[in-house]
Amino acid sequence: MSEQRFHSVRLDKDKCKGCTNCLKRCPTEAIRVRGGRAHIIDERCIDCGECIRVCGYHAKYAQTDPLESIRRFRYKIALPAPSLYGQFKHLVSPSQVLEGLKRIGFDEVFEVAEGADIVTRAIRERMRNIRPDQYPVISSACPVIVRLIRVRFPELIPHIIDVRQPMEVAAMVARREFCKAHDVKPEEVGCFFITPCAAKMTAIRNPIGHETSALDGAISMLELYGLIAAQLKNVPVNTHIARASSYGVGWAGSGGEAMAVCPEHSMAVDGIENVIRVLEEIENDKLNDLVFFEGAACTGGCVGGPLTFENSYVARNAVHALMSGCDIAHPDEKVKTAYLTTYPLTFNRNISANSAMRLDDDIVEAMRKMEQLEEIVRSLPGYDCGSCGSPTCRTFAEDIVRGYCNRMDCIHVLKEQLKVMAQQMVELAKTTRE
């Protein structure tokens, strides 16, 4: 049975001009240009949003839930990512943003940063039972990196920590506490993540590591930015409803998770191309002293997500400034043990490799196709120009083997063929005259 897939990253073909910007930037080579329009290969897409960033024609976009979708529920809970705090300058406390969310239609707010506190302690507890030969432990917080590993680095899947994302944990805790406090049924409560990226929306609709999401939807920060900003003018600065620690808030930026979970012998890398290079090092056993690896697809971490409003560097500084006013207690001290036993914080499904890169399910046929692919690669110029509609000469050869195109789609091969044909026509003309 084929895996059902949902993708938040979408293509508006009417706006696409067939340029190759997205083609060259996709980290999993999931985009092709055919017939003057881009096409996204469903099996390879990891919803990183890189194509959204680089498309000058706005032909790529992220599908998220509109604010109106919260009306499906009698009670609405907003779960703001800590990166949301960095979108607003001159904040005194995260509580101002939380109060702003309540004023635009939510009945309650629960910080995903508080979920990060719980996840921090859960990961540290899990790592006590992990053997050194299983290092490095790879964070599961960024869904893009998890999906990237499934597609390009399947051998590293066992290294991914089996603890659910902060937004999932926050949703479980928020729903339970709200229902208990107000004596309402769980199905009457809707939990919505305020997301900085498309991948979180995909993670809700198509989870990895667990069967169903605890969230009911995700709303883009871009959609809510103006509404919240308008409310902040009237929110008193002495509002005190935020509960997360500075460590949890720090998850907004690259290195925040590693600092909370494993400050020694850890590495935090942001930017998907940088992450790919380090994962290659890990796969080749070149980082043997590494204990914990935090990878973030977006530059700067979640503050640099494609659905954020503020410049990532400005946002990161704003988050750092807010951290100084938050609770400085470490999650090991702050988070109650009851959270670890009350909620299902770990995965209940194994993460499997994505077979998108496999040429054929039959090993013999796959080997035959690989030999054919290598032969085609050797016959190509190796310019990786993308003019054929594939990102590289190697992917072009793969597309030929799969039957999606033919060698004459390469303009350089076609040019050489035309030269040969022209010479043959000249020789034929000479023969005819003689």
Side-chain angles (χ1 to χ4, degrees), residues 130-434:
I130 294 177
R131 304 187 310 271
D133 63 330
Q134 296 174 302
Y135 292 157
V137 173
I138 299 177
S139 166
S140 61
C142 179
V144 171
I145 302 306
V146 173
R147 293 175 190 275
L148 173 69
I149 291 172
R150 291 184 69 220
V151 174
R152 292 187 56 169
F153 304 96
E155 292 183 1
L156 298 181
I157 289 176
H159 291 267
I160 300 173
I161 190 71
D162 60 345
V163 178
R164 297 176 73 165
Q165 300 171 32
M167 68 174 185
E168 292 287 338
V169 174
M172 288 188 287
V173 177
R175 192 188 305 273
R176 185 185 182 98
E177 291 188 352
F178 186 87
C179 290
K180 184 177 180 181
H182 300 277
D183 192 24
V184 298
K185 298 178 181 179
E187 56 269 23
E188 295 182 292
V189 180
C191 294
F192 292 85
F193 180 61
I194 314 304
T195 182
C197 72
K200 299 289 188 178
M201 180 70 183
T202 302
I204 294 170
R205 295 288 186 88
N206 189 20
I208 294 178
H210 47 97
E211 295 180 8
T212 58
S213 174
L215 288 136
D216 298 291
I219 304 172
S220 168
M221 286 186 184
L222 287 175
E223 180 174 355
L224 299 186
Y225 173 80
L227 297 173
I228 299 172
Q231 295 298 328
L232 290 180
K233 300 174 183 178
N234 303 316
V235 174
V237 296
N238 60 348
T239 302
H240 299 291
I241 55 177
R243 303 189 305 184
S245 75
S246 61
Y247 291 94
V249 174
W251 276 55
S254 176
E257 179 186 4
M259 180 59 67
V261 170
C262 183
E264 296 182 357
H265 307 296
S266 65
M267 179 183 294
V269 180
D270 59 307
I272 195 160
E273 293 299 332
N274 298 326
V275 172
I276 288 171
R277 284 193 286 270
V278 174
L279 288 176
E280 288 172 347
E281 297 278 295
I282 295 174
E283 190 176 49
N284 294 326
D285 295 323
K286 293 183 177 180
L287 297 173
N288 295 324
D289 59 341
L290 186 62
V291 174
F292 185 81
F293 177 71
E294 173 200 335
C298 300
T299 301
C302 291
V303 291
L307 302 183
T308 57
F309 177 83
E310 187 56 84
N311 174 283
S312 62
Y313 297 97
V314 174
R316 185 161 54 181
N317 283 342
V319 169
H320 284 169
L322 288 175
M323 288 170 61
S324 62
C326 296
D327 188 344
I328 62 172
H330 191 274
D332 277 354
E333 305 169 4
K334 182 180 179 65
V335 175
K336 298 177 182 178
T337 304
Y339 280 114
L340 307 184
T341 56
T342 303
Y343 299 95
L345 304 183
T346 55
F347 294 165
N348 56 24
R349 294 177 62 180
N350 293 328
I351 299 177
S352 60
N354 186 323
S355 61
M357 299 293 193
R358 193 182 303 163
L359 290 175
D360 199 284
D361 291 334
D362 181 85
I363 186 65
V364 175
E365 182 64 13
M367 292 176 66
R368 186 193 69 78
K369 289 183 177 180
M370 179 58 71
E371 292 177 359
Q372 182 184 357
L373 186 151
E374 295 295 344
E375 182 180 348
I376 295 173
V377 169
R378 288 192 291 270
S379 71
L380 296 174
Y383 297 145
D384 292 342
C385 63
S387 59
C388 61
S390 302
T392 64
C393 287
R394 187 170 191 83
T395 52
F396 177 56
E398 180 184 334
D399 289 344
I400 294 174
V401 171
R402 292 182 184 275
Y404 299 151
C405 54
N406 59 68
R407 292 180 76 255
M408 290 302 108
D409 287 322
C410 172
I411 62 171
H412 303 287
V413 171
L414 179 61
K415 182 179 178 182
E416 291 302 316
Q417 185 65 29
L418 290 174
K419 284 183 179 179
V420 172
M421 291 175 63
Q423 184 61 38
Q424 290 175 342
M425 292 177 66
V426 170
E427 293 174 359
L428 178 63
K430 288 181 179 180
T431 303
T432 302
R433 286 196 297 270
E434 291 172 359

Side-chain angles (χ1 to χ4, degrees), residues 50-69:
E50 285 298 306
C51 57
I52 295 176
R53 298 180 196 275
V54 301
C55 183
Y57 302 101
H58 305 290
K60 316 297 189 306
Y61 65 96
Q63 183 184 67
T64 55
D65 292 303
L67 179 58
E68 290 77 15
S69 63

